[in-house]
Amino acid sequence: MLDVRGIAKRFGDVVALDGVNLSVDRGGIIGFLGPNGAGKSTTMRAIMGLIAIDRGTITWDGAPITADVRRRFGYMPAERGMYPKMTVRDQLIYFARLAGLSARDAASSADVWMDRVDISSRSGDEVQALSSGNQQRVQLAIALVHDPELLILDEPFSGLDPVAVETMKTILLEQIERGTSVLFSSHQLDLVSDISRNVVIIDAGRVVLEGDVRDIRERAEFRYAAIGFAENTSWQPEYPGVQIIERHPRSLRLRVPDSQDPTAVLADANAAGRVVEFSFAPPDLSEVFLASINRRSPERDAERDPDSSTDRAAVG
């Protein structure tokens, strides 16, 4: 189990992390969300030992994380962490060897994972000759080539086409099934909802919301009502706290307080015209995300991250 407790980090006068807590169980997966500069990459680098934290603790199975323990982790940085003039196969073998595999096992695992991420046909090509999407496939294969116990993936879906996204999702779900712990960040919130039941949302270096996706949607302080009419309507709903999000000739979408009785909204709409469609639901994950970061003070701290292009080499 990965356990991050109260970690803090400053870069000069800039507060990058301010008491971040999160945990990932064995075989668990956490979607790590936040706007650019929120502290996601800094947290991941701290877990991988690429930066020193100012305070707090990071443990694996209740013990401090040593260099030997980190060799059992798989890391995929947001920026390219590969050697551009090394071939794909040699790259995978090299990082597998750094993680402690024998030459024979490293070569065998490299071949397996090149096939798994559908990059075998480019095994002899230099990484710099690959497209951005194919480089992303190689990055994932490097993170997995040594059969890690923990996966730290920073924006793993970035630059992938829909076929590669489905492959990535399948691989992550398989890893969870076999007991691997996964912490991943993404700006593609629909994918987060598909893969992970639990999320941690960070903003300006602080965790602002965490928990089961369904639970945090239900805990939201607002709901969305969508009403469709048989004819054009000029209906103007009058409830405390209501906002008209969208208006069309025959439909409206409203944001209303969670305390609002949906039957009253429907009855009021029916009094204004024949309703042919009606829904009343909690916000989706992207709407919860926006609401959680917008609640923060305008005086948000910005994160200044060091360049991460050599992150993986530093781990080795």
Side-chain angles (χ1 to χ4, degrees), residues 22-218:
L22 64 84
S23 60
V24 189
D25 292 333
R26 290 273 186 171
I29 180 168
I30 296 290
F32 196 29
L33 312 178
N36 290 334
K40 303 184 301 298
S41 294
T42 300
T43 301
M44 292 178 165
R45 291 171 192 150
I47 294 168
M48 293 304 301
L50 296 171
I51 61 170
I53 56 176
D54 298 331
R55 69 171 187 273
T57 60
I58 303 173
T59 60
W60 177 250
D61 288 344
I65 300 174
T66 64
D68 286 340
V69 171
R70 282 196 179 91
R71 290 191 182 95
R72 307 202 302 269
F73 296 172
Y75 178 48
M76 182 176 180
E79 302 294 334
R80 300 293 178 234
M82 299 176 288
Y83 296 96
K85 294 186 177 182
M86 188 180 288
T87 68
V88 171
R89 188 172 189 270
D90 286 347
Q91 194 107 211
L92 265 66
I93 292 173
Y94 172 74
F95 283 110
R97 294 283 284 143
L98 284 182
L101 272 66
S102 68
R104 179 176 180 177
D105 288 345
S108 176
S109 186
D111 292 337
V112 168
W113 279 107
M114 283 190 299
D115 182 65
R116 190 70 182 83
V117 301
D118 196 21
I119 201 73
S120 296
S121 63
R122 308 297 299 272
S123 65
D125 293 348
E126 293 181 353
V127 166
Q128 64 184 359
L130 303 181
S131 67
S132 175
N134 280 337
Q135 288 187 24
Q136 196 76 339
R137 292 171 189 252
V138 178
Q139 292 243 117
L140 177 63
I142 290 172
L144 289 161
V145 72
H146 56 296
D147 193 24
E149 298 176 14
L150 170 68
L151 275 174
I152 305 290
L153 308 176
D154 199 352
E155 293 292 338
F157 298 101
S158 177
L160 296 182
D161 61 40
V163 173
V165 166
E166 288 304 312
T167 298
M168 177 83 79
K169 286 168 58 177
T170 299
I171 289 172
L172 291 186
L173 293 173
E174 289 173 353
Q175 290 297 306
I176 297 163
E177 186 68 24
R178 63 175 293 276
T180 305
S181 304
V182 180
L183 176 68
F184 78 104
S185 68
S186 179
H187 288 112
Q188 296 164 270
L189 301 188
D190 55 337
L191 289 174
V192 176
S193 295
D194 287 346
I195 298 171
S196 177
R197 287 183 53 189
N198 296 290
V199 297
V200 173
I201 300 176
I202 187 174
D203 189 27
R206 299 175 184 173
V207 173
V208 296
L209 194 63
E210 62 181 317
D212 182 280
V213 172
R214 183 177 299 177
D215 289 344
I216 63 176
R217 289 180 62 210
E218 290 292 339

